[in-house]
Structures are given as C-alpha cells and as structure tokens.
Amino acid sequence: MNLDRPFFASIARSALGFRGSYDEGRVNTYVGDDISGVINNRTRELGVNTGFAFGIATDRTRRLRLGLLHRREEYEAIPGEVSGLVPETRQLGFVQVGAEWENLDFVKEKRIQKFSHDEDYNLGWGIFPSVAWSPHFKPLDSTESQIVPKITM
C-alpha cells in the first residue's frame, strides 16, 4: 500500500508519502546450484518519504524525494518439507534519495474502468531514479549494509 499526498498535483511545493507492504511465500534453498529444500519467507516493509518541488509548473512535476524505510525478512522451515539451511532473520533500515521528472499529458476517457463517468489518464513520460542505502548502523536496526539503485520509467 502506498499513499502519497498530493497525488498528481504539479503545482504543490511539497508532497508526503507512506508505504507499507506484507508478502509471504515459499522460497527455495540451495547448495551450490542444486535446490536443497523449500522454506517460508515473510517480508514486511514500512516507510515514510517527503518530496520537495524543484519548481512549480502545470505541465510537469520535478521533485527531490527523501525517505526512510524499514524492511524485515523472516524465514522458517515448513513442517513436513525438506528445508535445507534456514537463513537468519534480516532487518534493514534504508535511507532513500530519489527524484521525479514527469510530463503531464492527461486525456479524458469513458468506459475504461468505470462505465458511468469520465476518467483521466496521464500519457506523459516520466523517469524516477532512486537509491536506497542501508548502512550497518545500530540506530537503524540494520543487520547488514546494502545499496539498492532503481530507475522506474
């Protein structure tokens, strides 16, 4: 779940956001290149971010985003299954820096998702680069250090 405010306001000087996610599934364990078993994996994330506009315009958004993200990954053996080596729980506290550049080119259409009213769709081009850094730093409760670059278009 992501919640950002303001959603598509190009004339807003700042934006605030919240992110939360939960994922659970089975993953394989390996010895070398061979699968040695199956275990359960649970991943939880909570984060906050803020964005500051480089400039205000009605045809594009340009923002710098800063945020904090906490990620916890838990692993456990599945009863009745061969599990192999079960990894330890990992906790990562990320400091995030990113940017937004999106051209706004909205079209108004009917009968796409709802039949009863007009809907606005942005056909503008956008690029959203970011980097998240998880230092091995006790106050962020990180069990290891990681850098995660990302570019979304």
Side-chain angles (χ1 to χ4, degrees), residues 32-151:
D33 292 335
D34 300 323
I35 295 175
S36 63
V38 177
I39 58 175
N40 270 337
N41 167 245
R42 270 191 306 278
T43 304
R44 297 181 194 117
E45 289 184 345
L46 283 176
V48 294
N49 65 66
T50 186
F52 303 98
F54 289 123
I56 293 179
T58 56
D59 61 339
R60 72 176 85 68
T61 59
R62 296 168 298 180
R63 289 192 185 106
L64 171 69
R65 293 184 78 102
L66 305 169
L68 296 173
L69 176 72
H70 183 267
R71 179 183 178 107
R72 182 177 174 88
E73 298 174 7
E74 298 172 334
Y75 302 93
E76 65 184 10
I78 301 169
E81 294 273 346
V82 176
S83 66
L85 183 64
V86 178
E88 293 183 20
T89 297
R90 292 186 343 157
Q91 290 196 132
L92 299 166
F94 287 98
V95 176
Q96 300 173 307
V97 177
E100 294 181 7
W101 179 286
E102 185 173 24
N103 289 324
L104 303 178
D105 184 14
F106 282 93
V107 295
K108 194 174 293 263
E109 296 292 332
K110 284 188 178 187
R111 296 181 287 284
I112 303 294
Q113 291 182 359
K114 300 196 178 201
F115 289 101
S116 60
H117 66 278
D118 292 338
E119 299 173 73
D120 292 324
Y121 291 93
N122 185 13
L123 300 180
W125 183 84
I127 186 166
F128 309 94
S130 67
V131 66
W133 175 49
S134 174
H136 186 64
F137 187 53
K138 197 66 172 165
L140 291 177
D141 206 18
S142 293
T143 55
E144 63 184 72
S145 182
Q146 250 184 37
I147 295 177
V148 182
K150 179 180 178 183
I151 295 180

Side-chain angles (χ1 to χ4, degrees), residues 4-37:
D4 289 320
R5 184 182 182 283
F7 296 100
F8 291 107
S10 62
I11 59 173
R13 291 205 175 276
S14 64
L16 211 60
F18 167 79
R19 173 185 175 167
S21 70
Y22 177 83
D23 185 38
E24 187 171 335
R26 292 178 173 212
V27 294
N28 294 326
T29 57
Y30 292 87
V31 173
D33 292 335
D34 300 323
I35 295 175
S36 63

